[in-house]
Amino acid sequence: MAAPALEKLSESLGSPEPAVRLMLSILIGYPCALFYRRCLFYQPPTLLHVFHTLFGLALAAFNFGTQLSHSAACILVQFLMLRLMGRTVTTVLSSFFFQMIYLLAGYYFTATGEYDIKWTMPQCVLALKLIGLAWDYYDGGQENLSAEQKNSALSSVPSLLEMFGYSYFYGGFLVGPQFTLRSYQRLVAGELTDCPGKPPNSAIPALKRFALGFLCLSIYTVFSPYYPDSYYLTDEYEAQPFWYRCIFILLWAKFNLYKYVSCWVIAEGVCVLAGLGYNGVGEDGRHRWNACANMKVSVFETTPLFQGTIASFNTNTNAWAARHVFKRLKFVGNKTVSHVTTLFFLAIWHGLHSGYLMCFSMEFFIVILERQAQALVRDSPVLSRLAHSALYPLIYVVQQFMHWFLMGYSLMPFCLFSYDKWLKVYLSVYFSGHICLIIMFLIMPYLRRALVPRKDRSLKKEE
């Protein structure tokens, strides 16, 4: 009976059945979190691990059937590596290579030319969790740790049941967010609450995240049919004027990103309701519920900067990559190499399609150019006055246009996957984004010489 009902629901919503299953699974987290608060909050951690494991397995079975065995196998192997290999670099490297090779093999054998919701989707979330777990266990035996590392370091190997409960926790198993095992341990110990010894007063903050996520989902549902990925490959798109094709890229990016925003914000609400989102007291004396925030929606909506959108989007994954890839490469002694390596890791973590590499390559060069432009405005008296003049509203509009065009221009290969598709679109807009970047890189040194006083350039070189 369930399958026909889901078919009818997906038909009425105009969405694929796997997408409907996914959204229902995220929403089911809310009554599950309520049940935990009302009935299980004072229960021992072992019972909570069992509850989280069984409920997470049920969600996995509902979405992926017997393919849930992939996640279970990876958790078991990770547990054995921690137990048998101890706190060693070998454990960390073995964990990294096993989880990534397993994930990439999954991509290779299941990949199609379309965006499919299959077992590799939660598997990519799980891979980061388990790799991060190996690092946190390793850090537990080290000295001279940063405050961040101390907060997540593990003093002992977790039990197998604890690892299953952590991995299958209903608030983060399917689409994230990322959180550490130490945070999960604090949750089941009843420590993540603004009322010590009692369930957290998180219903209102959770409801706000749900409402915001539902709003984003509504925007995506209403507008995304007008901007489908498939339109890029039609003769009609190629027949449109150049300006129209550019505007389409801009609007397509803006509305289609709400697909991710809505899922992450609604899932965050589940974590907040359960208490996992509790993040202590802020400087203003108010309790914060942003420990599991994967989106800074206000920044995402208002920033005119490419860097601002990156900093506001999928923030937990970005933080994980910064903590476990970028900062771990400190021994290289070169931030650019660390940055490139981190972006390359994120590209292959998303999948084996060439579009991912193109997307993150574009991100790297756009960020570098944007930083150079910001430095130019800061150091040039003329540009600084202009940026703070009455013309700023107009400048802001132009910035937003360029920002979202370049965002869509970079994101398009990410969504079209294969080079024959995204190359066709780049040809249709004459590689305009690439040309703009090349021109700006070429003229930036001349702009600095023309607009920045000589003494300021000298001071900059000394720094």
Side-chain angles (χ1 to χ4, degrees), residues 11 195 200 260 286 292 328 397 436:
E11 288 176 6
C195 302
Y260 305 100
R286 301 174 63 181
C292 291
R328 303 285 181 175
V397 171
C436 287

Side-chain angles (χ1 to χ4, degrees), residues 348-361:
I348 62 170
W349 172 71
H350 278 92
L352 298 173
H353 294 293
S354 61
Y356 298 133
L357 289 172
M358 175 55 69
C359 174
F360 285 98
S361 298

Side-chain angles (χ1 to χ4, degrees), residues 386-460:
L386 186 63
H388 295 87
S389 69
L391 292 176
Y392 178 72
L394 177 61
I395 296 172
Y396 178 82
V397 171
V398 173
Q399 274 186 295
Q400 282 285 18
F401 178 87
M402 290 301 300
H403 155 226
W404 278 107
F405 170 71
L406 289 174
M407 183 61 65
Y409 192 86
S410 305
L411 187 65
M412 179 269 298
F414 186 98
C415 296
L416 295 186
F417 302 132
S418 59
Y419 76 93
D420 57 320
K421 294 179 180 179
W422 54 258
L423 186 59
K424 179 181 179 181
V425 181
Y426 277 155
L427 284 168
S428 72
V429 292
Y430 314 116
F431 286 93
S432 52
H434 290 81
I435 293 172
C436 287
L437 290 177
I438 292 171
I439 292 173
M440 290 304 299
F441 271 119
L442 290 174
I443 68 173
M444 193 62 69
Y446 299 99
L447 290 175
R448 285 199 65 84
R449 282 198 287 269
L451 297 172
V452 178
R454 186 182 299 275
K455 62 176 182 178
D456 291 342
R457 295 204 302 270
S458 301
L459 287 173
K460 199 68 178 179

Side-chain angles (χ1 to χ4, degrees), residues 170-284:
Y170 49 86
F173 169 64
L174 291 170
V175 296
Q178 292 292 327
F179 52 90
T180 65
L181 180 61
R182 282 295 297 125
S183 295
Y184 174 76
Q185 290 173 336
R186 294 183 187 108
L187 173 72
V188 297
E191 298 173 6
L192 294 181
T193 176
D194 56 335
C195 302
K198 297 180 181 180
N201 293 312
S202 57
I204 298 301
L207 184 60
K208 289 180 179 178
R209 300 312 284 177
F210 170 79
L212 180 58
F214 185 78
L215 174 62
C216 294
L217 180 62
S218 300
I219 294 172
Y220 172 74
T221 303
V222 171
F223 291 101
S224 64
Y226 296 102
Y227 302 95
D229 301 353
S230 57
Y231 186 66
Y232 279 121
L233 306 176
T234 63
D235 294 335
E236 182 181 348
Y237 177 77
E238 288 198 31
Q240 298 289 355
F242 173 72
W243 65 265
Y244 181 93
R245 281 172 270 160
C246 293
I247 294 294
F248 181 88
I249 290 175
L250 183 155
L251 294 175
W252 166 83
K254 183 66 175 178
F255 291 123
N256 274 273
L257 284 177
Y258 283 115
K259 170 174 60 179
Y260 305 100
V261 176
S262 59
C263 287
W264 290 333
V265 174
I266 292 174
E268 181 197 342
V270 175
C271 295
V272 170
L273 187 60
L276 191 62
Y278 185 65
N279 199 22
V281 180
E283 295 179 358
D284 57 358

